[in-house]
């Protein structure tokens, strides 16, 4: 299989077509399915969340007003642990939401404190008012009636989600702030040193090519996603995400198409 992937890399390198992410508007359901979802191809959609009320309303202050001192789960003390994602259960803390907002708005740049998808804020009753501020685009998504396929990401500049892949397709909506993405095709999985679970051993921003020499053969695609833009991250695509400023994002997995994928990950012995 690695020989097949290496062959495909070599053939692809013969093309003069640049490796970049399409930006599209007005895609119908069938066009999105035929050109991107079924092809396992990422795309930035420019007309999905740009008119949501959340785009204007969701500031840290607004969110604090809506949730008040409701106790929520967040990730903390991440900078003390190089494997904070793999050990995520050890970094879950509960605190009043308004206290969390006060902490991150007083921070210029930090990866220590972050409210992420795995904290499942949208499953709580306290988040009910926020559901009035956005809608799932019916071209691509079905209503998340049980509130288990929609996730909030909210944190300061400097928060990082290290290089990993998801085991399902994700629609990532950027509501406020800018995030920098690095994407790597699953066809280059043999170059990212995936020794455990869904994580790469490589920091793609500063790869140690003496230890991870094959990563030099990969072709990372780097770009930024800003307010009102939506990134389709196909299942299996490796991605590293860094907030360039205080950022509010929402991700969805309730696609109008099958999204159950059987995946076997490497396990640490």
């Amino acid at each position: 299989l690695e020989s097949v992937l290496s062959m495909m890399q070599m053939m692809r390198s013969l093309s003069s077509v640049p490796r970049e992410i399409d930006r599209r508007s007005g895609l119908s359901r069938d066009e999105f399915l035929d050109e991107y979802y079924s092809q396992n191809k990422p795309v930035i959609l420019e007309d999905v969340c740009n008119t949501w009320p959340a785009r204007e309303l969701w500031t840290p202050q607004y969110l604090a007003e809506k949730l008040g001192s409701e106790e929520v789960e967040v990730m903390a003390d991440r900078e003390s642990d190089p494997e904070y994602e793999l050990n995520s259960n050890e970094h879950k803390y509960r605190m009043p939401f308004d206290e969390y907002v006060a902490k991150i708005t007083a921070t210029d740049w930090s990866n220590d404190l972050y409210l992420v998808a795995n904290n499942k804020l949208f499953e709580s009753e306290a988040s009910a008012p926020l559901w009035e501020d956005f809608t799932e685009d019916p071209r691509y998504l079905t209503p998340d009636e049980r509130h288990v396929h929609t996730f909030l990401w909210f944190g300061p500049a400097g928060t990082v989600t290290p290089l990993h892949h998801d085991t399902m397709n994700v629609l990532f909506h950027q509501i406020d702030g800018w995030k920098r993405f690095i994407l790597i095709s699953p066809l280059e999985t043999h170059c990212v040193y995936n020794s455990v679970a869904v994580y790469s051993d490589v920091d793609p921003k500063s790869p140690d090519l003496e230890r991870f020499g094959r990563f030099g053969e990969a072709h990372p695609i780097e770009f930024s996603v800003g307010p009102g833009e939506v990134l389709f991250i196909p299942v299996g695509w490796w991605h590293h995400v860094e907030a360039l400023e205080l950022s509010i994002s929402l991700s969805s997995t309730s696609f109008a198409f099958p999204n159950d994928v059987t995946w076997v990950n490497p396990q640490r012995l």
Side-chain angles (χ1 to χ4, degrees):
L1 288 175
E2 288 193 12
S3 296
V4 171
L5 296 180
S6 295
M7 173 273 294
M8 295 182 72
Q9 274 186 307
M10 185 184 74
M11 293 297 105
R12 175 64 179 85
S13 68
L14 301 177
S15 172
S16 61
V17 177
R19 300 172 190 261
E20 54 188 28
I21 308 300
D22 291 350
R23 289 179 172 267
R24 300 288 300 274
S25 294
L27 279 179
S28 68
R29 175 181 292 205
D30 288 343
E31 287 171 328
F32 174 72
L33 175 60
D34 291 342
E35 298 178 32
Y36 297 99
Y37 198 90
S38 66
Q39 299 302 307
N40 194 241
K41 181 180 178 180
V43 61
I44 293 174
L45 304 170
E46 298 180 324
D47 64 341
V48 172
C49 77
N50 55 323
T51 60
W52 282 359
R55 276 279 300 108
E56 300 296 328
L57 295 174
W58 283 15
T59 63
Q61 294 72 27
Y62 176 86
L63 297 179
E65 289 172 6
K66 289 294 183 180
L67 274 71
S69 59
E70 185 75 26
E71 193 172 77
V72 299
E73 182 182 275
V74 301
M75 298 298 186
D77 297 330
R78 287 154 50 101
E79 292 180 348
S80 66
D81 181 2
E83 296 187 335
Y84 56 84
E85 285 288 345
L86 194 60
N87 302 325
S88 61
N89 287 336
E90 299 173 17
H91 294 277
K92 292 180 177 179
Y93 293 81
R94 298 193 68 81
M95 68 171 61
F97 186 80
D98 52 5
E99 178 182 326
Y100 172 74
V101 172
K103 286 180 178 292
I104 66 169
T105 53
T107 300
D108 291 330
W109 189 275
S110 175
N111 190 32
D112 211 39
L113 192 62
Y114 198 10
L115 196 160
V116 302
N118 284 335
N119 297 130
K120 301 180 180 179
L121 178 81
F122 280 136
E123 292 186 22
S124 69
E125 292 184 8
S127 71
L130 302 182
W131 285 83
E132 301 173 5
D133 299 335
F134 64 91
T135 56
E136 294 99 339
D137 193 313
R139 291 174 296 178
Y140 317 128
L141 301 172
T142 58
D144 182 12
E145 295 176 352
R146 296 188 297 121
H147 295 184
V148 294
H149 297 290
T150 309
F151 310 96
L152 183 69
W153 305 79
F154 178 32
T159 52
V160 171
T161 302
L163 191 62
H164 73 290
H165 73 84
D166 294 309
T167 57
M168 63 182 64
N169 295 283
V170 174
L171 202 60
F172 188 90
H173 309 74
Q174 187 61 16
I175 296 173
D176 194 32
W178 284 84
K179 284 188 170 175
R180 187 71 177 168
F181 280 80
I182 300 175
L183 258 62
I184 298 174
S185 168
L187 298 181
E188 297 185 333
T189 293
H190 60 306
C191 297
V192 303
Y193 295 84
N194 172 212
S195 63
V196 60
V198 297
Y199 303 105
S200 167
D201 297 335
V202 184
D203 176 1
K205 289 191 64 181
S206 182
D208 182 346
L209 296 182
E210 289 190 7
R211 291 181 60 198
F212 307 117
R214 206 166 189 178
F215 187 79
E217 302 171 16
H219 298 83
I221 306 171
E222 297 190 37
F223 57 95
S224 296
V225 175
E229 297 180 337
V230 171
L231 173 64
F232 170 56
I233 308 174
V235 58
W237 273 74
W238 295 90
H239 50 289
H240 173 283
V241 190
E242 182 177 31
L244 303 179
E245 52 191 2
L246 189 143
S247 178
I248 305 172
S249 317
L250 182 153
S251 59
S252 302
T253 59
S254 58
F255 283 96
F257 323 105
N259 199 20
D260 295 321
V261 177
T262 299
W263 206 287
V264 178
N265 293 307
Q267 300 297 319
R268 182 171 290 167
L269 300 178

